Amino acid sequence: MSDKSPLKLLCVTAHPDDECFGFGGALMLAAERGIETSVLCFTDGQAATNRGAAATHAELGQMRRAEFAASCRILDVTHHEVLDYQDAQLEFANFSQAAALLVERIRRIRPDVVLTFGSDGGQNTHADHTMVSAFTTAAVHWAAQAKRFPALGPIHTVQRLFYTTTDFFFPGRPSPLPAPWTVTLDVARVQHRKFEAFRAHTSQLPLMERFQSFFEQRASREHYTLAATPHPQAAAHATDLFAGL
Ligand SMILES: [Zn+2]
């Protein structure tokens, strides 16, 4: 399947810094193998609690765009893009327009594997994460269907859609209802660079300081759920997102 062109991975997130702990290990391991990686982030994070030295929402947004770019460089991401959606408002966005935007990107980038949040909204159950999961899920299916958005380029079938999921909860925070995982990735070899990437998000360092020791105990593994594939199959456990591709 992959002898024609190098494999590609697309990761769809909601906020600058989502790419670090949720998906950072998977992104770095893929890059190490020569897989082309893209991260598409829906918002520039203007609604964050931690605001660094930013005086306005727009200033924080600009700061976080630069931090996101720095983090993506540390994670060896090939292409990165921040869209112009409003932070903390994705549940009110036009669903069809957001999905169409992703259909266009999927048909242009032509990824083999797509990563995003699960419908639980991730560790902090953020509604933006749940919406990104819904937009991305619809787009992966619709990108493969000729009758959907025929003007947005030739159809493309993604080989695997994965949701990030978890085997732990944050102490003292509301817990999500996570999907069972089908993939456990051992990312111990690159875990120190997850922290390095997070530290590039200078405006969010207070968050890091609060949770660093908790993260340090858990940063060596990432869990994902296989959510879509063109090949009917029983769920099986794997240790690689690309096995057999
Ligand atoms: Zn987020």
Side-chain angles (χ1 to χ4, degrees), residues 21-131:
F21 286 109
F23 308 97
L27 288 167
M28 286 185 277
L29 291 185
E32 271 187 5
R33 289 160 63 171
I35 293 165
E36 191 181 304
T37 59
S38 303
V39 180
L40 187 58
C41 180
F42 260 80
T43 83
D44 64 9
Q46 295 192 12
T49 310
N50 296 299
R51 309 189 64 80
T56 63
H57 288 302
E59 216 174 290
L60 181 62
Q62 283 313 314
M63 245 160 87
R64 298 200 70 191
R65 283 171 189 269
E67 292 169 358
F68 173 73
S71 165
C72 285
R73 278 194 291 277
I74 293 165
L75 299 174
D76 282 334
V77 170
T78 320
H79 306 287
H80 58 84
E81 180 181 6
V82 181
L83 301 175
D84 292 318
Y85 279 82
Q86 279 305 306
D87 186 7
Q89 299 294 314
L90 290 184
E91 67 193 283
F92 308 109
N94 180 296
F95 189 95
S96 184
Q97 280 173 12
L101 189 150
L102 288 176
V103 166
E104 191 279 329
R105 294 303 191 283
I106 289 168
R107 288 181 181 169
R108 179 147 49 93
I109 297 168
R110 310 188 80 72
D112 301 280
V113 168
V114 173
L115 308 181
T116 192
F117 290 101
S119 52
D120 59 352
Q123 275 291 3
N124 64 357
T125 69
H126 199 302
D128 283 353
H129 299 166
T130 296
M131 293 315 299

Side-chain angles (χ1 to χ4, degrees), residues 6 23 26 29 63 103-104 126-127 135 140 167 196 207 233 237 244:
F23 308 97
L29 291 185
M63 245 160 87
V103 166
E104 191 279 329
H126 199 302
F135 299 149
V140 163
D167 66 344
E196 209 182 305
L207 198 69
Q233 59 189 276
H237 187 255

Side-chain angles (χ1 to χ4, degrees), residues 221-245:
R221 293 201 299 179
E222 291 177 7
H223 293 86
Y224 295 91
T225 301
L226 179 62
T229 159
H231 310 291
Q233 59 189 276
H237 187 255
T239 54
D240 180 4
L241 299 171
F242 292 90
L245 291 184

